[in-house]
Every structure is written in C-alpha cells, then in structure tokens.
Amino acid sequence: MTSVKSLPQATPTELGFSAPRTATLLATLQDEINRQRLPGAVVLIARHGKLAVHEALGYQNGDAAVPMTTNSVFRIYSMTKPIVSVAALMLMEQGKLLLGDPVS
C-alpha cells in the first residue's frame, strides 16, 4: 500500500484540478471552522499517484484546542454512506446514473 508520504507532490493545475476551486474548498472549510460549525478537517486530493492537496485545518477537538494534523485519526461509525456515495458518483461519471433517477 502506498503511503501519502511517498506520493510525489504536484500542483492542482498540473493534475487537472482548478487551483481557484481547490483554494475555495479550503477557504470554505476554514470559514465553517471559524463559524464553529466544524471543529476541523483534513483534505487530501490526489490523482495519478501524485498529491495535489494535503492540508489540516482547525482542531481535532474544539474544546481542548488540539490542532488537527494531516495524520489525525477519525472515528467513522458508519462506512456504508461514504462507500455508497463514492459508488454513486462513479456511476454518474460513467453516465450510468442520473441524480433524477428513481431510487427503486
């Protein structure tokens, strides 16, 4: 398995991402942290084996003010939602699923 530390760094633009949109993503997350709607976040965006963005924002625990790190551990109690969401997005990219399609 490849470690994030072993991935070569590239700019978002070099990997086909919009630099302004990746900056907007980070700014939006920071805004949510500033509004105390979100204690913190870790963002990792990679493509073709290269790392475009790897940032830690905010705090691991808002009460204890422990800064978030890029290797912070998150407890995820239900893995069904993220797996199904990614599968649905992959089907959308392939043109096999539309957002308006009935669930049944």
Side-chain angles (χ1 to χ4, degrees), residues 55-93:
E55 297 283 335
L57 306 165
Y59 301 95
Q60 292 183 35
N61 178 340
D63 297 332
V66 177
M68 188 70 73
T69 64
T70 55
N71 64 348
S72 292
V73 176
F74 295 85
R75 287 183 182 230
I76 302 175
Y77 292 97
S78 172
M79 285 303 298
T80 306
K81 292 176 192 97
I83 291 170
V84 170
S85 298
V86 169
L89 290 171
M90 290 171 69
L91 290 170
M92 286 179 59
E93 282 183 340

Side-chain angles (χ1 to χ4, degrees), residues 2 7-8 11 22 33 36 50 61 67 74 81 84 92 94:
T2 303
L7 292 177
T11 67
T22 55
I33 292 165
Q36 297 182 341
K50 294 182 181 175
N61 178 340
F74 295 85
K81 292 176 192 97
V84 170
M92 286 179 59
Q94 296 169 9

